[in-house]
Short mmCIF file of all heavy atoms in Angstrom, two decimals:
data_model
loop_
_atom_site.label_atom_id
_atom_site.label_comp_id
_atom_site.label_asym_id
_atom_site.label_seq_id
_atom_site.Cartn_x
_atom_site.Cartn_y
_atom_site.Cartn_z
N LYS A 656 -71.70 72.85 27.72
CA LYS A 656 -72.99 72.41 28.38
C LYS A 656 -73.78 71.73 27.31
O LYS A 656 -74.50 70.69 27.55
CB LYS A 656 -73.81 73.68 28.85
CG LYS A 656 -73.63 73.91 30.32
CD LYS A 656 -74.14 75.25 30.70
CE LYS A 656 -73.32 75.90 31.70
NZ LYS A 656 -73.21 77.36 31.55
N LEU A 663 -75.99 63.45 27.46
CA LEU A 663 -77.07 62.96 28.33
C LEU A 663 -78.17 62.36 27.58
O LEU A 663 -78.67 61.30 27.96
CB LEU A 663 -77.54 64.18 29.20
CG LEU A 663 -78.27 63.71 30.39
CD1 LEU A 663 -77.29 63.34 31.59
CD2 LEU A 663 -79.21 64.70 30.92
N PHE A 666 -77.25 59.06 26.37
CA PHE A 666 -77.22 58.10 27.46
C PHE A 666 -78.69 57.65 27.71
O PHE A 666 -79.00 56.50 27.87
CB PHE A 666 -76.55 58.79 28.63
CG PHE A 666 -76.60 57.91 29.79
CD1 PHE A 666 -76.02 56.59 29.80
CD2 PHE A 666 -77.10 58.26 30.95
CE1 PHE A 666 -75.97 55.75 30.90
CE2 PHE A 666 -77.10 57.52 32.14
CZ PHE A 666 -76.47 56.18 32.07
N SER A 677 -84.26 44.56 26.80
CA SER A 677 -84.29 43.46 27.80
C SER A 677 -85.68 43.10 28.18
O SER A 677 -85.96 41.91 28.53
CB SER A 677 -83.38 43.75 29.04
OG SER A 677 -83.80 45.13 29.47
N ALA A 747 -71.50 22.49 45.40
CA ALA A 747 -72.86 22.19 46.03
C ALA A 747 -73.64 23.51 46.38
O ALA A 747 -74.85 23.57 46.25
CB ALA A 747 -72.57 21.44 47.21
N SER A 748 -73.03 24.59 46.68
CA SER A 748 -73.70 25.76 47.06
C SER A 748 -74.00 26.64 45.80
O SER A 748 -74.88 27.52 45.93
CB SER A 748 -72.83 26.57 48.08
OG SER A 748 -71.50 26.68 47.81
N GLN A 755 -82.17 28.00 39.22
CA GLN A 755 -83.31 29.07 39.41
C GLN A 755 -83.06 30.30 38.42
O GLN A 755 -84.06 30.72 37.96
CB GLN A 755 -83.10 29.59 40.86
CG GLN A 755 -83.69 28.58 41.86
CD GLN A 755 -83.37 29.11 43.28
OE1 GLN A 755 -82.55 29.97 43.59
NE2 GLN A 755 -84.02 28.54 44.27
N ASP A 775 -89.87 24.07 48.32
CA ASP A 775 -89.63 25.43 48.66
C ASP A 775 -88.57 26.17 47.78
O ASP A 775 -88.54 27.36 47.59
CB ASP A 775 -89.03 25.44 50.08
CG ASP A 775 -89.25 26.83 50.79
OD1 ASP A 775 -90.22 27.44 50.42
OD2 ASP A 775 -88.40 27.16 51.66
N LEU A 776 -87.62 25.30 47.12
CA LEU A 776 -86.65 25.94 46.36
C LEU A 776 -87.11 26.22 44.91
O LEU A 776 -86.38 26.84 44.13
CB LEU A 776 -85.43 25.02 46.20
CG LEU A 776 -84.49 24.83 47.46
CD1 LEU A 776 -83.25 24.10 47.18
CD2 LEU A 776 -84.17 26.22 47.94
N GLY A 777 -88.34 25.88 44.60
CA GLY A 777 -88.74 26.11 43.15
C GLY A 777 -88.03 25.26 42.23
O GLY A 777 -87.65 25.53 41.13
N GLY A 807 -65.84 13.52 70.11
CA GLY A 807 -64.80 14.58 70.09
C GLY A 807 -63.97 14.73 68.85
O GLY A 807 -62.91 15.37 68.81
N ARG A 809 -63.03 15.84 64.83
CA ARG A 809 -63.27 16.87 63.86
C ARG A 809 -63.67 16.08 62.58
O ARG A 809 -62.80 15.36 62.07
CB ARG A 809 -62.01 17.69 63.76
CG ARG A 809 -61.92 18.87 64.67
CD ARG A 809 -60.52 19.44 64.70
NE ARG A 809 -59.94 19.91 63.31
CZ ARG A 809 -60.12 21.21 62.98
NH1 ARG A 809 -60.90 21.99 63.75
NH2 ARG A 809 -59.72 21.53 61.81
N THR A 814 -70.16 22.02 52.55
CA THR A 814 -71.26 22.94 52.96
C THR A 814 -72.42 22.88 51.97
O THR A 814 -72.20 22.61 50.77
CB THR A 814 -70.65 24.38 53.03
OG1 THR A 814 -71.68 25.30 53.45
CG2 THR A 814 -70.23 24.91 51.66
N GLY A 815 -73.60 23.21 52.49
CA GLY A 815 -74.75 23.28 51.58
C GLY A 815 -75.25 21.95 51.10
O GLY A 815 -76.04 21.79 50.19
N THR A 816 -74.92 20.80 51.79
CA THR A 816 -75.37 19.51 51.38
C THR A 816 -76.30 18.92 52.42
O THR A 816 -76.41 19.34 53.56
CB THR A 816 -74.13 18.58 51.29
OG1 THR A 816 -73.55 18.58 52.53
CG2 THR A 816 -73.14 19.00 50.26
N GLU A 819 -74.50 17.50 55.51
CA GLU A 819 -74.17 18.40 56.61
C GLU A 819 -75.32 18.22 57.65
O GLU A 819 -75.13 18.23 58.85
CB GLU A 819 -74.17 19.80 56.09
CG GLU A 819 -73.58 20.77 57.08
CD GLU A 819 -73.50 22.19 56.52
OE1 GLU A 819 -73.93 22.33 55.33
OE2 GLU A 819 -73.12 23.12 57.13
N LEU A 820 -76.60 18.24 57.16
CA LEU A 820 -77.83 18.06 58.05
C LEU A 820 -77.91 16.71 58.65
O LEU A 820 -78.17 16.61 59.88
CB LEU A 820 -79.09 18.40 57.25
CG LEU A 820 -79.08 19.70 56.42
CD1 LEU A 820 -80.43 19.92 55.85
CD2 LEU A 820 -78.74 20.89 57.28
N PRO A 835 -67.86 19.87 63.66
CA PRO A 835 -67.90 19.97 62.15
C PRO A 835 -66.99 20.90 61.56
O PRO A 835 -66.88 22.07 62.09
CB PRO A 835 -69.45 20.29 61.88
CG PRO A 835 -69.79 21.11 62.97
CD PRO A 835 -69.02 20.63 64.22
N VAL A 836 -66.30 20.48 60.63
CA VAL A 836 -65.39 21.51 59.83
C VAL A 836 -65.88 21.49 58.38
O VAL A 836 -65.79 20.49 57.64
CB VAL A 836 -63.93 21.12 59.89
CG1 VAL A 836 -63.07 22.12 59.22
CG2 VAL A 836 -63.53 20.82 61.33
N THR A 837 -66.65 22.61 58.07
CA THR A 837 -67.33 22.53 56.81
C THR A 837 -66.51 23.29 55.61
O THR A 837 -66.18 24.42 55.85
CB THR A 837 -68.65 23.26 56.93
OG1 THR A 837 -69.12 22.85 58.28
CG2 THR A 837 -69.60 22.76 55.95
N PHE A 838 -66.36 22.61 54.54
CA PHE A 838 -65.55 23.20 53.46
C PHE A 838 -66.52 23.42 52.23
O PHE A 838 -67.56 22.76 52.06
CB PHE A 838 -64.50 22.19 53.02
CG PHE A 838 -63.42 22.15 54.04
CD1 PHE A 838 -63.36 21.06 54.98
CD2 PHE A 838 -62.39 23.09 54.18
CE1 PHE A 838 -62.43 20.88 56.05
CE2 PHE A 838 -61.43 22.86 55.12
CZ PHE A 838 -61.46 21.90 56.02
N ALA A 843 -60.38 20.72 49.64
CA ALA A 843 -59.87 21.25 50.89
C ALA A 843 -60.10 20.25 51.96
O ALA A 843 -59.26 20.00 52.85
CB ALA A 843 -60.45 22.60 51.16
N ALA A 846 -57.62 17.45 51.71
CA ALA A 846 -56.37 17.91 52.09
C ALA A 846 -56.20 17.95 53.61
O ALA A 846 -55.20 17.45 54.22
CB ALA A 846 -56.09 19.21 51.54
N ALA A 850 -53.83 15.47 55.96
CA ALA A 850 -52.81 16.17 56.93
C ALA A 850 -53.15 15.68 58.37
O ALA A 850 -52.30 16.00 59.15
CB ALA A 850 -52.93 17.62 56.76
N SER A 852 -55.54 16.92 60.03
CA SER A 852 -56.18 18.07 60.83
C SER A 852 -57.63 17.81 61.16
O SER A 852 -58.10 18.24 62.20
CB SER A 852 -56.16 19.34 59.90
OG SER A 852 -56.83 20.35 60.51
N ASP A 854 -60.45 14.27 61.43
CA ASP A 854 -60.25 12.85 61.61
C ASP A 854 -61.10 12.11 60.58
O ASP A 854 -60.88 10.95 60.43
CB ASP A 854 -60.92 12.48 62.98
CG ASP A 854 -60.08 13.14 64.11
OD1 ASP A 854 -58.91 12.86 64.20
OD2 ASP A 854 -60.69 14.00 64.84
N GLY A 895 -92.02 25.36 38.00
CA GLY A 895 -92.92 26.28 37.32
C GLY A 895 -93.05 26.07 35.85
O GLY A 895 -93.62 26.95 35.09
N THR B 1204 -77.93 78.25 33.58
CA THR B 1204 -77.09 77.56 34.52
C THR B 1204 -77.71 77.34 35.87
O THR B 1204 -77.34 76.39 36.59
CB THR B 1204 -75.77 78.33 34.85
OG1 THR B 1204 -76.19 79.74 35.00
CG2 THR B 1204 -74.82 78.32 33.61
N LEU B 1211 -80.52 68.10 35.59
CA LEU B 1211 -79.67 66.95 35.53
C LEU B 1211 -79.93 66.07 36.68
O LEU B 1211 -79.98 64.85 36.57
CB LEU B 1211 -78.21 67.30 35.62
CG LEU B 1211 -77.64 67.94 34.24
CD1 LEU B 1211 -76.23 68.30 34.36
CD2 LEU B 1211 -77.78 66.94 33.12
N LEU B 1218 -83.56 58.23 36.26
CA LEU B 1218 -82.92 57.06 35.60
C LEU B 1218 -82.69 55.95 36.66
O LEU B 1218 -82.88 54.81 36.40
CB LEU B 1218 -81.53 57.56 35.12
CG LEU B 1218 -81.48 57.83 33.59
CD1 LEU B 1218 -80.13 58.35 33.27
CD2 LEU B 1218 -81.87 56.68 32.83
N PHE B 1225 -86.95 48.45 37.40
CA PHE B 1225 -86.87 47.42 36.43
C PHE B 1225 -86.25 46.11 36.90
O PHE B 1225 -86.73 45.01 36.75
CB PHE B 1225 -86.18 47.87 35.06
CG PHE B 1225 -85.83 46.80 34.20
CD1 PHE B 1225 -86.83 46.20 33.49
CD2 PHE B 1225 -84.53 46.29 34.02
CE1 PHE B 1225 -86.57 45.06 32.72
CE2 PHE B 1225 -84.17 45.23 33.24
CZ PHE B 1225 -85.23 44.67 32.51
N LYS B 1236 -92.13 33.12 38.55
CA LYS B 1236 -92.18 32.10 37.61
C LYS B 1236 -91.74 30.76 38.14
O LYS B 1236 -92.22 29.63 37.75
CB LYS B 1236 -91.21 32.42 36.37
CG LYS B 1236 -91.99 32.50 35.04
CD LYS B 1236 -91.18 33.24 34.05
CE LYS B 1236 -89.92 32.51 33.63
NZ LYS B 1236 -89.12 33.28 32.62
N LEU B 1237 -90.83 30.77 39.12
CA LEU B 1237 -90.35 29.60 39.78
C LEU B 1237 -91.27 29.15 40.86
O LEU B 1237 -91.04 28.12 41.53
CB LEU B 1237 -88.87 29.84 40.31
CG LEU B 1237 -87.81 29.83 39.33
CD1 LEU B 1237 -86.58 30.42 40.05
CD2 LEU B 1237 -87.54 28.55 38.70
N ILE B 1239 -91.64 30.80 43.80
CA ILE B 1239 -90.95 31.11 45.09
C ILE B 1239 -91.49 32.41 45.63
O ILE B 1239 -91.57 33.40 44.85
CB ILE B 1239 -89.36 31.21 44.99
CG1 ILE B 1239 -88.86 29.98 44.33
CG2 ILE B 1239 -88.77 31.40 46.40
CD1 ILE B 1239 -87.36 30.05 44.10
N PHE B 1251 -81.08 23.13 61.52
CA PHE B 1251 -80.64 21.77 61.37
C PHE B 1251 -79.14 21.47 60.99
O PHE B 1251 -78.77 20.24 60.71
CB PHE B 1251 -81.55 21.03 60.36
CG PHE B 1251 -82.95 20.83 60.87
CD1 PHE B 1251 -84.03 21.31 60.15
CD2 PHE B 1251 -83.25 20.08 61.96
CE1 PHE B 1251 -85.45 21.14 60.58
CE2 PHE B 1251 -84.46 19.92 62.40
CZ PHE B 1251 -85.61 20.42 61.67
N PHE B 1252 -78.40 22.46 60.84
CA PHE B 1252 -76.99 22.28 60.61
C PHE B 1252 -76.22 22.80 61.77
O PHE B 1252 -76.54 23.75 62.42
CB PHE B 1252 -76.52 22.80 59.23
CG PHE B 1252 -76.64 24.33 59.16
CD1 PHE B 1252 -75.53 25.10 59.54
CD2 PHE B 1252 -77.78 24.91 58.55
CE1 PHE B 1252 -75.64 26.54 59.38
CE2 PHE B 1252 -77.81 26.33 58.43
CZ PHE B 1252 -76.77 27.09 58.89
N GLY B 1255 -69.12 24.68 63.32
CA GLY B 1255 -67.99 24.29 64.13
C GLY B 1255 -67.47 25.28 65.17
O GLY B 1255 -67.22 24.88 66.31
N TYR B 1331 -52.99 27.92 54.70
CA TYR B 1331 -53.66 26.85 55.21
C TYR B 1331 -52.97 25.53 54.84
O TYR B 1331 -52.71 24.65 55.58
CB TYR B 1331 -55.11 26.87 54.67
CG TYR B 1331 -56.09 25.79 55.20
CD1 TYR B 1331 -56.28 25.82 56.66
CD2 TYR B 1331 -56.57 24.78 54.54
CE1 TYR B 1331 -57.10 24.82 57.25
CE2 TYR B 1331 -57.41 23.79 55.10
CZ TYR B 1331 -57.63 23.85 56.47
OH TYR B 1331 -58.41 22.92 57.03
N TYR B 1332 -52.78 25.41 53.43
CA TYR B 1332 -52.28 24.04 52.88
C TYR B 1332 -50.74 23.91 53.26
O TYR B 1332 -50.26 22.78 53.53
CB TYR B 1332 -52.39 24.01 51.43
CG TYR B 1332 -53.79 23.82 50.95
CD1 TYR B 1332 -54.46 24.67 50.15
CD2 TYR B 1332 -54.50 22.69 51.33
CE1 TYR B 1332 -55.73 24.56 49.77
CE2 TYR B 1332 -55.80 22.43 50.95
CZ TYR B 1332 -56.50 23.43 50.07
OH TYR B 1332 -57.72 23.28 49.70
N LEU B 1336 -51.60 23.11 57.82
CA LEU B 1336 -51.91 21.64 57.80
C LEU B 1336 -50.69 20.82 58.09
O LEU B 1336 -50.77 19.75 58.67
CB LEU B 1336 -52.53 21.27 56.49
CG LEU B 1336 -54.03 21.65 56.30
CD1 LEU B 1336 -54.59 21.16 55.04
CD2 LEU B 1336 -54.89 21.22 57.46
N LEU B 1340 -49.11 16.43 64.10
CA LEU B 1340 -50.29 15.96 64.64
C LEU B 1340 -50.44 16.23 66.14
O LEU B 1340 -49.48 16.50 66.80
CB LEU B 1340 -50.37 14.39 64.34
CG LEU B 1340 -50.39 14.01 62.96
CD1 LEU B 1340 -50.18 12.51 62.86
CD2 LEU B 1340 -51.79 14.34 62.36
N ASN B 1354 -51.70 20.62 64.23
CA ASN B 1354 -52.55 20.93 63.06
C ASN B 1354 -54.09 20.76 63.29
O ASN B 1354 -54.84 20.90 62.46
CB ASN B 1354 -52.15 20.30 61.79
CG ASN B 1354 -52.32 18.79 61.80
OD1 ASN B 1354 -52.96 18.31 62.80
ND2 ASN B 1354 -51.87 18.01 60.77
N ARG B 1355 -54.40 20.43 64.53
CA ARG B 1355 -55.75 20.54 64.98
C ARG B 1355 -56.15 21.63 65.80
O ARG B 1355 -57.17 21.80 66.40
CB ARG B 1355 -56.14 19.25 65.85
CG ARG B 1355 -56.04 17.92 65.00
CD ARG B 1355 -56.23 16.79 65.94
NE ARG B 1355 -57.51 16.99 66.53
CZ ARG B 1355 -58.51 16.06 66.41
NH1 ARG B 1355 -58.43 15.14 65.58
NH2 ARG B 1355 -59.63 16.34 67.02
N ARG B 1436 -57.30 13.01 71.67
CA ARG B 1436 -57.07 13.85 70.51
C ARG B 1436 -57.69 15.16 70.61
O ARG B 1436 -58.02 15.80 69.66
CB ARG B 1436 -57.53 13.04 69.25
CG ARG B 1436 -57.00 11.65 69.09
CD ARG B 1436 -57.08 11.11 67.74
NE ARG B 1436 -56.18 11.88 66.86
CZ ARG B 1436 -56.21 12.00 65.58
NH1 ARG B 1436 -57.28 11.37 65.00
NH2 ARG B 1436 -55.39 12.58 64.87
N LEU B 1437 -58.04 15.58 71.82
CA LEU B 1437 -58.71 16.85 72.01
C LEU B 1437 -57.89 17.71 73.09
O LEU B 1437 -57.24 17.22 73.93
CB LEU B 1437 -60.09 16.48 72.69
CG LEU B 1437 -61.22 16.09 71.76
CD1 LEU B 1437 -62.45 15.91 72.52
CD2 LEU B 1437 -61.36 17.13 70.67
N GLU B 1447 -58.52 26.64 60.83
CA GLU B 1447 -59.24 27.48 59.79
C GLU B 1447 -59.09 29.00 60.27
O GLU B 1447 -58.86 29.86 59.45
CB GLU B 1447 -60.74 27.01 59.73
CG GLU B 1447 -60.84 25.69 59.19
CD GLU B 1447 -60.48 24.54 60.11
OE1 GLU B 1447 -60.67 24.81 61.30
OE2 GLU B 1447 -59.92 23.57 59.64
N GLY B 1527 -63.02 27.09 55.20
CA GLY B 1527 -63.94 26.61 56.16
C GLY B 1527 -64.03 27.22 57.49
O GLY B 1527 -64.54 26.66 58.48
N TYR B 1533 -70.02 32.45 54.88
CA TYR B 1533 -70.15 31.04 54.94
C TYR B 1533 -71.41 30.59 55.39
O TYR B 1533 -72.10 29.81 54.85
CB TYR B 1533 -69.05 30.59 55.86
CG TYR B 1533 -69.14 29.17 56.35
CD1 TYR B 1533 -68.39 28.11 55.81
CD2 TYR B 1533 -70.04 28.85 57.48
CE1 TYR B 1533 -68.44 26.82 56.32
CE2 TYR B 1533 -70.03 27.59 57.93
CZ TYR B 1533 -69.33 26.51 57.33
OH TYR B 1533 -69.39 25.32 57.78
N THR B 1537 -74.56 28.63 53.41
CA THR B 1537 -75.26 27.37 53.82
C THR B 1537 -76.74 27.62 53.93
O THR B 1537 -77.44 26.81 53.48
CB THR B 1537 -74.68 26.97 55.25
OG1 THR B 1537 -73.24 26.96 55.12
CG2 THR B 1537 -75.17 25.61 55.59
N ASN B 1540 -78.25 27.68 50.73
CA ASN B 1540 -78.42 26.43 50.10
C ASN B 1540 -79.55 25.62 50.72
O ASN B 1540 -80.14 24.75 50.03
CB ASN B 1540 -77.06 25.60 50.36
CG ASN B 1540 -76.70 25.09 49.08
OD1 ASN B 1540 -77.12 24.05 48.62
ND2 ASN B 1540 -75.64 25.83 48.53
N GLN B 1541 -79.84 25.78 51.92
CA GLN B 1541 -80.93 25.01 52.58
C GLN B 1541 -82.19 25.63 52.27
O GLN B 1541 -83.23 24.83 52.23
CB GLN B 1541 -80.66 24.90 54.14
CG GLN B 1541 -79.36 24.33 54.57
CD GLN B 1541 -78.98 22.99 53.97
OE1 GLN B 1541 -79.89 22.26 53.47
NE2 GLN B 1541 -77.85 22.50 54.16
N THR B 1542 -82.23 26.98 52.11
CA THR B 1542 -83.56 27.57 51.82
C THR B 1542 -83.78 27.99 50.39
O THR B 1542 -84.89 28.19 49.93
CB THR B 1542 -83.75 28.85 52.68
OG1 THR B 1542 -82.69 29.73 52.33
CG2 THR B 1542 -83.53 28.57 54.17
N GLY B 1543 -82.68 28.17 49.61
CA GLY B 1543 -82.82 28.56 48.27
C GLY B 1543 -83.13 29.92 48.06
O GLY B 1543 -83.52 30.40 47.00
N ARG B 1544 -83.16 30.78 49.14
CA ARG B 1544 -83.53 32.12 49.11
C ARG B 1544 -82.33 33.01 48.82
O ARG B 1544 -81.80 33.70 49.67
CB ARG B 1544 -84.35 32.56 50.37
CG ARG B 1544 -85.46 31.59 50.55
CD ARG B 1544 -86.47 32.30 51.46
NE ARG B 1544 -87.65 31.35 51.62
CZ ARG B 1544 -88.64 31.47 50.88
NH1 ARG B 1544 -88.76 32.51 49.97
NH2 ARG B 1544 -89.65 30.61 50.95
#
Side-chain angles (χ1 to χ4, degrees):
Chain A
K656 262 169 220 149
L663 197 81
F666 178 57
S677 41
S748 43
Q755 287 169 342
D775 202 32
L776 286 189
R809 269 162 63 88
T814 183
T816 54
E819 195 182 359
L820 308 184
V836 187
T837 323
F838 292 95
S852 172
D854 301 297
Chain B
T1204 49
L1211 285 178
L1218 264 181
F1225 166 72
K1236 239 163 67 181
L1237 287 166
I1239 307 178
F1251 291 118
F1252 64 88
Y1331 189 65
Y1332 287 119
L1336 286 184
L1340 293 169
N1354 69 4
R1355 291 175 58 114
R1436 308 201 69 204
L1437 281 180
E1447 295 73 35
Y1533 165 100
T1537 308
N1540 234 282
Q1541 305 301 351
T1542 61
R1544 303 195 176 269

